[in-house]
Every structure is written in C-alpha cells, then in structure tokens.
Amino acid sequence: DSTVWLVQTASFRDKINALGLRSELKVAGYPVDVKVAEKDGSPIFRVFVGPVTGQDAAKRLQGEIKRDFNRETLLVRQ
C-alpha cells in the first residue's frame, strides 16, 4: 500500500494550544506539523503527525499517539 497518511492529533481555535502540542510531539520524536484551515469563518489549527506510507503504518502510529498522549486521532489521506 503506497497511500500516504497523516495522523490528525488535534484541532484548536487557539494557535498557542496547537504550538504547545506540536512541541510535545516533537520532543517525543514525532514528525509534526500545524496546518491552518478555516471553519465557520475563523482559523482552526490542526496538528498532524506524519506523513507515513501505508495504512498499517499509519494505524501503528495512531496507536502510539493514543498510548503516549491519550488522544483520539483521525487518519487523513495526504
């Protein structure tokens, strides 16, 4: 499976919260990025880990984040 995935770990209206989580994930060694989108006319800051290739690898990463950070996440095709 050559599909590329991201694990969305959170969405915040406050950029500071998104940057804080990004820092925690980076310290833990994860490749992490914050992407800005718009929802209801306001910016929303989404924190993504990845990319990873293959759905199995993405699910493993998702499980690690749930275990280490106690977060429910979403898998997103890139």
Side-chain angles (χ1 to χ4, degrees), residues 2-18:
S2 62
T3 306
V4 176
W5 296 87
L6 295 170
V7 178
Q8 182 178 327
T9 59
S11 275
F12 296 102
R13 290 204 179 275
D14 185 344
K15 184 177 184 180
I16 297 299
N17 291 336

Side-chain angles (χ1 to χ4, degrees), residues 7-55:
V7 178
Q8 182 178 327
T9 59
S11 275
F12 296 102
R13 290 204 179 275
D14 185 344
K15 184 177 184 180
I16 297 299
N17 291 336
L19 295 178
L21 179 57
R22 181 185 72 177
S23 292
E24 287 180 44
L25 289 161
K26 273 191 179 210
V27 166
Y30 292 103
V32 60
D33 192 20
V34 175
K35 297 179 188 265
V36 183
E38 193 174 295
K39 185 173 182 182
D40 302 326
S42 298
I44 191 161
F45 302 90
R46 294 183 175 140
V47 183
F48 292 96
V49 173
V52 293
T53 302
Q55 191 171 20

Side-chain angles (χ1 to χ4, degrees), residues 7 52-62:
V7 178
V52 293
T53 302
Q55 191 171 20
D56 289 343
K59 285 182 178 179
R60 277 193 301 278
L61 180 58
Q62 189 178 36

